Amino acid sequence: CVGSCAIWWLEEGTGSQDSWVLFSELPLTLSSPFHINCLYFPFLQEECQNYVRVLIVYGKKVFTCGTNAFSPVCSSRQVGNVSKTIDKINGVARCPYDPRHNSTAVITSRGELYAATVIDFSGRDPAIYRSLGKVPPLRTAQYNSKWLNEPNFIAAYDIGLFTYFFFRENAVEHDCGKTVYSRVARVCKNDIGGRFLLEDTWTTFMKARLNCSRSGEIPFYYNELQSTFYLPEQDLIYGVFTTNVNSIAASAVCAFNLSAITQAFNGTFRYQENPRSAWLPTINPIPNFQCGTLNDNSPNENLTERILQDAQRLFLMNDVVQPVSVDPYVTQDSIRFSKLVVDIVQGKDTLYHVMYIGTGKRIQV
């Protein structure tokens, strides 16, 4: 949304009596100096607005971040009175400068903001960044394409000891040309960074590939993740996948158990010794060495130099996260799915998962 956001609430009724009602309109006016400066560049007229890229309702507050004419800004408001700003903070590393850059964010129960976005004006410094709360700010390694390689961030979830991020990126481990893989990454929420090595940087960052494909002698892969939806009641994550934009349009919906994701993260790593070496499986030296084991008095006393060296080089998992079913739940050719919402409906004898799929032009059920 630009300029203002309308917040809608779903009032539950019986059967077809559910209805959407306008809860409030959220004004998001531009800071005039930034808008005026931006307008000096004629080719940026359309982007010189306040595009909302983060909108999170948590507790009794609404947290928003907007591009603010390439000068990102974030604000907090009360749910019952969103027209009044409680607090305003710098939006850099929490919201992209450019509205065309994909980003995602989540606020944990402890008030920590985890954002996946680009930090610089040029869009060349992507990062998964933690701020706010009582823990120190951390980010992914800067200008290291092996950690993040031109990612498009899709979603973030606060689950248990971890924060999970879903995105697609150029695959560094793919040796034959350029291709895009879909990923799930996670970090420990009690990570406090390294000492000497990986200072102000995640020491628990890991990522794995998500597989959504049609089975066969030569599988047909849907490599580009577009949207996800998490069902916490069943520890299930649905994802919309498509083919590359330069290929024939095709889409699929796959679902992944959280246990399958955990299994991949507990497995071996894939590591490249040098640019001329192949990517080879490497044993995981200390699985989950930090999560849930930190000493509150000296939280990083167990971070030896060897552990930090391993954390710096071992982050890509060797095993691919496999979906619940061999084939996707839904496939459709000649169309690109864009968004997904899943509802659980009680049938006569069992529960049904009803998928609402957006295509950019219409919604399918």
Side-chain angles (χ1 to χ4, degrees):
C1 46
V2 184
S4 66
C5 275
I7 301 177
W8 295 80
W9 242 241
L10 179 62
E11 286 192 344
E12 293 188 3
T14 57
S16 61
Q17 300 302 312
D18 293 358
S19 60
W20 289 94
V21 296
L22 179 63
F23 176 74
S24 183
E25 188 168 341
L26 180 64
L28 294 155
T29 55
L30 273 169
S31 300
S32 56
F34 298 120
H35 188 216
I36 293 170
N37 291 337
C38 185
L39 291 176
Y40 280 114
F41 301 93
F43 56 91
L44 293 177
Q45 298 299 302
E46 187 175 341
E47 289 79 10
C48 289
Q49 304 293 331
N50 192 13
Y51 290 84
V52 179
R53 301 315 311 272
V54 176
L55 178 60
I56 304 172
V57 179
Y58 68 106
K60 296 182 179 180
K61 292 184 179 180
V62 179
F63 182 80
T64 64
C65 297
T67 57
N68 194 40
F70 291 90
S71 301
V73 64
C74 299
S75 62
S76 295
R77 305 158 192 263
Q78 289 288 349
V79 168
N81 184 17
V82 293
S83 60
K84 182 180 179 181
T85 301
I86 301 172
D87 187 28
K88 186 176 288 188
I89 59 175
N90 193 319
V92 174
R94 302 178 177 106
C95 173
Y97 286 82
D98 192 324
R100 292 168 294 190
H101 290 142
N102 284 343
S103 64
T104 186
V106 64
I107 294 179
T108 68
S109 57
R110 297 186 298 184
E112 300 151 7
L113 175 68
Y114 289 77
T117 185
V118 287
I119 289 182
D120 63 332
F121 181 86
S122 66
R124 296 177 181 176
D125 185 17
I128 292 174
Y129 179 72
R130 181 180 69 192
S131 61
L132 309 182
K134 297 180 180 180
V135 288
L138 294 179
R139 60 158 296 165
T140 43
Q142 189 174 30
Y143 303 127
N144 188 329
S145 60
K146 289 185 177 180
W147 282 52
L148 294 171
N149 190 16
E150 299 181 30
N152 276 278
F153 297 110
I154 305 299
Y157 301 104
D158 172 21
I159 305 174
L161 297 173
F162 308 98
T163 302
Y164 292 84
F165 299 87
F166 290 82
F167 59 99
R168 61 183 187 271
E169 66 170 351
N170 292 334
V172 291
E173 73 271 33
H174 186 75
D175 297 326
C176 302
K178 183 178 179 180
T179 191
V180 173
Y181 283 169
S182 296
R183 307 281 198 197
V184 55
R186 79 176 189 190
V187 293
C188 294
K189 290 190 291 187
N190 62 356
D191 193 333
I192 43 77
R195 295 179 299 174
F196 309 114
L197 278 176
L198 296 179
E199 284 193 69
D200 303 321
T201 305
W202 298 108
T203 64
T204 57
F205 173 78
M206 300 177 179
K207 65 179 181 180
R209 182 186 175 187
L210 296 169
N211 172 40
C212 183
S213 60
R214 290 184 191 175
S215 60
E217 186 175 345
I218 301 177
F220 183 85
Y221 290 98
Y222 302 87
N223 277 332
E224 301 205 8
L225 181 66
Q226 303 294 336
S227 176
T228 65
F229 192 85
Y230 175 47
L231 290 177
E233 309 94 326
Q234 301 189 357
D235 280 340
L236 201 62
I237 296 172
Y238 280 83
V240 160
F241 296 78
T242 65
T243 53
N244 185 277
V245 292
N246 294 324
S247 64
I248 298 172
S251 303
V253 176
C254 288
F256 303 87
N257 278 319
L258 196 59
S259 58
I261 295 174
T262 301
Q263 182 179 349
F265 283 128
N266 287 339
T268 56
F269 287 99
R270 179 174 286 194
Y271 175 64
Q272 184 185 40
E273 187 70 35
N274 60 65
R276 295 185 178 182
S277 303
W279 288 82
L280 299 174
T282 302
I283 294 175
N284 188 346
I286 311 176
N288 301 338
F289 73 89
Q290 197 176 25
C291 286
T293 62
L294 288 180
N295 184 326
D296 291 335
N297 297 323
S298 301
N300 59 359
E301 66 179 4
N302 295 325
L303 298 181
T304 65
E305 184 177 357
R306 176 58 188 273
I307 287 176
L308 291 174
Q309 287 174 346
D310 286 339
Q312 192 174 40
R313 67 188 183 92
L314 301 177
F315 45 82
L316 176 62
M317 309 313 300
N318 184 64
D319 295 339
V320 176
V321 181
Q322 300 297 340
V324 172
S325 57
V326 175
D327 289 308
Y329 284 153
V330 178
T331 60
Q332 190 161 341
D333 297 333
S334 303
I335 197 168
R336 296 192 187 279
F337 296 160
S338 57
K339 295 293 182 182
L340 172 73
V341 174
V342 182
D343 190 19
I344 300 178
V345 177
Q346 177 65 59
K348 183 178 180 181
D349 301 314
T350 187
L351 292 173
Y352 293 93
H353 292 186
V354 180
M355 292 180 279
Y356 299 85
I357 303 171
T359 64
K361 296 181 180 179
R362 61 183 184 274
I363 295 177
Q364 298 182 348
V365 181

